[in-house]
Amino acid sequence: MLDRTPAARVEAVLKRLDAALQAGDVDEAVTLFSGACYWRDLVAFTWNIKTVEGRDGVRDLLTHCLAHVRPRDWRLAEGEVPTEADGVTQAWFAFDTEVARGYGLVRLKGDLIWTLLTTMIELKGHEEQAGFTRPLGARHGVHPGAKSWKEQREEEAARLGHTEQPAVLIIGGGQGGIALGARLRQLRVPTLIVERNERPGDSWRKRYKSLCLHDPVWYDHLPYIDFPKNWPVFAPKDKIGDWLEMYAKVMELNYWGGTTAKRAAYDETAKEWAVVVERDGREITLRPRQLVFATGMSGKPNIPDFPGMERFRGEQHHSSQHPGPDAYVGKTVVVVGSNNSAHDICAALYEAGVDVTMLQRSSTHVVRSDSLMEYGLGDLYSERAVAAGMTTAKADLIFASLPYRILHEFQKPVYDKIREVDADFYRDLDAAGFRLDFGADESGLFMKYLRRGSGYYIDVGASQLIIDRKIKLVGGQVKEITEAGMRLEDGREIPADVIVYATGYGSMNGWVADLVSREVADTVGKVWGLGSDTPKDPGPWEGEQRNMWKPTRQEALWFHGGNLHQSRHYSHVLALQLKARHEGIPTPVYGLQEVHHTR
């Protein structure tokens, strides 16, 4: 009798796929995919982050990549048992290529591949020293003149950037730069992180005092070192800052705080960057082979250009410069914006006894933190997920395995459920005059984040203050700033002593325009977004985050960032690409992103 268990069905597909690929038979391989299929590759085949759709997409990828990738030995991952639910069979598998080891997740509909994730795990001969291969550390025996670990670290710090050039220079020492630096350290790639703030973690410490993570702890681990078991679910900003500083130290990162990048240029002949930085009052020219902008998911603060701003008699600043509420007791404050930062700042001002008004200019998606944890993240990132055997690495790959083209189909039922459970909450917000939305296609928070990186608030308490009218709410558009506040297009006057612009950020390539040139910034194009043709994410369809964690149109220029989850997961993907280039391994890129938008 034919074995139709999930394991047998997956093994049969993997065996046929392995045979077709080793034989170079693209046509046979393509027949194993369904007509409406999706293959997402993280570096293993494409030296890129690339999703192809449909059999034609699979055929094109294999036609261009198969000969040099030489994939083989497709097999069920050790100890993994395929599962089946709602007509979909899911299984973890492993495979090899000519230069790397890979891991992935496949979903079958019937006996055909519906979604396929392939991801590079490690480069052969360049594995991280961990577990059984971890370094010994101590040098037993007698070694005249031997230097201690501390002396060796001090010598390395004195050399790098002076007598020895870094292979990789990371601009930005927040969570993204630190996570990537840790990955590269383990891969033995000489790396230097430069950060304008004095200490690791200052990018958190120097924000408004009420700032905390809105994502839960299980979602936010850094590579190699998880937060401890007693770490709060939502960490305050200063606690995060201290963790990042500790992490940078124990991971032995070469980190130049108090250092400002001034200008950079790429030498096409020498294949290296010349990056001028200012440190301790003097300029130093660094010459890395690879340059990474790790300045967060966002770019420069987006400060609106309202008529009359120059005549305002009070104080006005962007939310990134907001010091907290203490200096504004007794004053009237208007916060322009209605996303996470705006809510946090308004709540802190109210708690300090400040008269605060939120100006909402466009509809905003709001989701209660408890509901997000239960219905949106609970299966992958929660204490119950950990208890059920879910690891952070597997959770990251499961999330990565869902193609962006159809991710909204998985998200919409989640937010339909949340809207049902929290119906009273949403009714009360609506009654308070707050303009709500659930995204262009009702798919909620994650899709808004991936498409535009804005337009939402994870509620940790400010919404109730709006419902109770403790935070005043005004909806409308600004016509002009007056000497004593602002005037809206409908003629209403809003008095203010202080105006805070919680108006978001521009594209990360704005930093490239400042540091390198506008020409290079336009060559690279807009950073972030999927090309979904929804508000603030113009088409055409890209299929992946624009320019993030992958090769760009400017040789040796990279972008890294996002939330803590993305910084953790994609730092691995980016580090492998940088390691391969450092070792001279050929990296033919398939599907280099076209540039459709420059801002």
Side-chain angles (χ1 to χ4, degrees):
M1 181 180 294
L2 185 64
D3 188 349
R4 299 297 295 167
T5 63
R9 292 172 57 239
V10 173
E11 286 179 326
V13 171
L14 291 178
K15 183 177 180 181
R16 288 182 61 194
L17 183 61
D18 188 37
L21 296 181
Q22 290 203 53
D25 191 341
V26 172
D27 290 337
E28 171 63 16
V30 169
T31 66
L32 299 173
F33 289 78
S34 67
C37 63
Y38 306 88
W39 181 354
R40 188 175 194 221
D41 180 63
L42 306 183
V43 182
F45 276 71
T46 61
W47 289 107
N48 198 356
I49 299 177
K50 182 70 177 176
T51 299
V52 295
E53 302 178 7
R55 286 181 167 178
D56 287 344
V58 172
R59 183 185 305 279
D60 192 72
L61 186 154
L62 288 175
T63 299
H64 285 88
C65 302
L66 186 56
H68 61 262
V69 174
R70 297 181 63 188
R72 52 191 177 272
D73 196 17
W74 294 64
R75 61 202 182 274
L76 282 176
E78 186 175 354
E80 296 296 338
V81 179
T83 60
E84 187 170 10
D86 300 323
V88 176
T89 303
Q90 178 173 294
W92 296 99
F93 64 92
F95 64 98
D96 281 79
T97 72
E98 186 70 6
V99 300
R101 297 180 184 89
Y103 196 73
L105 185 65
V106 63
R107 296 183 182 91
L108 306 181
K109 284 187 174 180
D111 293 319
L112 296 177
I113 297 169
W114 174 42
T115 73
L116 180 68
L117 172 73
T118 49
T119 181
M120 184 182 290
I121 297 299
E122 59 186 2
L123 290 161
K124 294 175 180 177
H126 303 286
E127 297 83 359
E128 292 185 5
Q129 293 179 321
F132 288 108
T133 63
R134 73 173 72 216
L136 184 60
R139 295 185 65 194
H140 300 305
V142 178
H143 304 278
K147 294 176 181 177
S148 68
W149 167 84
K150 183 174 184 292
E151 290 170 327
Q152 292 178 57
R153 279 290 294 135
E154 288 172 345
E155 286 188 359
E156 178 187 10
R159 289 193 313 270
L160 197 63
H162 299 289
T163 60
E164 176 188 335
Q165 289 300 314
V168 177
L169 178 65
I170 300 172
I171 297 177
Q175 68 232 24
I178 285 173
L180 180 59
R183 298 280 195 189
L184 291 168
R185 179 81 183 179
Q186 300 311 302
L187 288 171
R188 302 172 295 285
V189 178
T191 301
L192 182 61
I193 302 168
V194 296
E195 165 63 40
R196 64 185 175 184
N197 289 310
E198 289 74 20
R199 298 159 53 198
D202 275 355
S203 55
W204 286 87
R205 294 187 189 95
K206 292 185 177 182
R207 297 292 304 279
Y208 53 90
K209 72 177 187 180
S210 62
L211 177 65
C212 67
L213 280 175
H214 289 208
D215 302 319
V217 62
W218 307 276
Y219 188 72
D220 293 326
H221 295 304
L222 270 66
Y224 309 113
I225 305 177
D226 287 354
F227 291 114
K229 301 293 185 185
N230 62 346
W231 196 262
V233 174
F234 302 106
K237 71 179 183 72
D238 295 288
K239 195 172 181 68
I240 302 166
D242 289 347
W243 182 264
L244 291 173
E245 186 168 26
M246 177 279 299
Y247 184 92
K249 185 172 183 179
V250 300
M251 296 305 292
E252 303 179 15
L253 305 187
N254 294 300
Y255 191 104
W256 285 7
T259 302
T260 302
K262 305 293 287 293
R263 56 190 180 274
Y266 188 63
D267 187 329
E268 296 283 353
T269 302
K271 299 297 181 184
E272 67 180 21
W273 288 90
V275 183
V276 178
V277 302
E278 183 177 322
R279 187 184 192 212
D280 296 331
R282 67 188 185 95
E283 289 190 348
I284 301 170
T285 300
L286 301 169
R287 299 189 181 278
R289 293 284 180 177
Q290 307 291 332
L291 180 62
V292 181
F293 281 80
T295 50
M297 170 195 95
S298 305
K300 301 167 64 176
N302 181 21
I303 301 175
D305 184 20
F306 295 137
M309 291 176 71
E310 73 286 347
R311 66 174 181 250
F312 181 58
R313 291 185 304 216
E315 177 185 344
Q316 53 188 329
H317 56 255
H318 188 264
S319 58
S320 61
Q321 301 300 316
H322 185 65
D326 296 347
Y328 306 117
V329 175
K331 297 183 181 294
T332 299
V333 180
V334 175
V335 178
V336 180
S338 54
N339 296 335
N340 270 335
S341 293
H343 279 82
D344 285 350
I345 290 169
C346 285
L349 287 165
Y350 168 79
E351 289 175 348
V354 177
D355 181 338
V356 58
T357 297
M358 176 186 290
L359 175 64
Q360 185 183 30
R361 297 185 297 164
S362 59
S363 64
T364 307
H365 174 54
V366 177
V367 59
R368 292 178 61 245
S369 177
D370 288 349
S371 299
L372 177 64
M373 286 200 300
E374 176 63 25
Y375 302 107
L377 295 172
D379 290 343
L380 298 179
Y381 303 99
S382 69
E383 206 61 52
R384 65 177 169 86
V386 172
M390 180 63 66
T391 65
T392 303
K394 278 193 173 180
D396 290 348
L397 289 175
I398 290 172
F399 196 83
S401 73
L402 296 171
Y404 289 135
R405 175 74 83 176
I406 58 173
L407 183 56
H408 67 283
E409 297 175 14
F410 291 82
Q411 292 295 304
K412 191 176 183 302
V414 171
Y415 290 92
D416 287 345
K417 178 65 175 179
I418 288 173
R419 187 152 37 183
E420 174 189 339
V421 169
D422 292 329
D424 292 345
F425 168 75
Y426 290 120
R427 182 199 63 223
D428 292 345
L429 260 182
D430 181 69
F434 194 90
R435 293 168 56 199
L436 286 161
D437 71 57
F438 277 76
D441 51 9
E442 307 293 301
S443 57
L445 174 72
F446 286 120
M447 296 312 302
K448 265 205 164 186
Y449 172 71
L450 293 167
R451 290 164 173 168
R452 55 184 282 188
S454 64
Y456 55 84
Y457 169 56
I458 302 174
D459 178 39
V460 292
S463 290
Q464 192 61 47
L465 296 176
I466 293 171
I467 290 168
D468 295 339
R469 279 62 170 181
K470 293 175 179 177
I471 294 173
K472 299 174 185 176
L473 178 68
V474 173
Q477 302 299 320
V478 177
K479 180 179 181 180
E480 62 179 341
I481 303 298
T482 65
E483 291 183 349
M486 62 181 64
R487 182 176 294 114
L488 303 186
E489 288 183 348
D490 62 8
R492 285 177 294 170
E493 302 266 356
I494 306 177
D497 301 310
V498 180
I499 301 174
V500 181
Y501 297 107
T503 46
Y505 299 83
S507 171
M508 281 177 71
N509 67 338
W511 295 118
V512 177
D514 285 352
L515 190 66
V516 187
S517 70
R518 183 74 254 174
E519 180 183 6
V520 170
D522 290 348
T523 296
V524 168
K526 180 179 173 67
V527 180
W528 204 260
L530 304 173
S532 61
D533 202 24
T534 57
K536 297 189 178 182
D537 183 28
W541 178 247
E542 307 271 2
E544 292 289 346
Q545 290 288 352
R546 296 184 188 95
N547 283 313
M548 292 299 296
W549 318 294
K550 60 183 180 180
T552 68
R553 287 279 168 179
Q554 169 58 56
E555 185 179 8
L557 177 65
W558 310 79
F559 294 94
H560 176 60
N563 58 29
L564 280 159
H565 155 255
Q566 290 170 309
S567 291
R568 173 188 65 244
H569 176 60
Y570 288 104
S571 61
H572 183 212
V573 174
L574 177 50
L576 288 169
Q577 296 173 79
L578 294 169
K579 173 65 173 178
R581 285 161 175 80
H582 178 61
E583 297 295 340
I585 297 170
T587 56
V589 176
Y590 169 78
L592 186 64
Q593 177 188 300
E594 298 289 340
V595 175
H596 302 289
H597 308 281
T598 58
R599 304 290 200 279

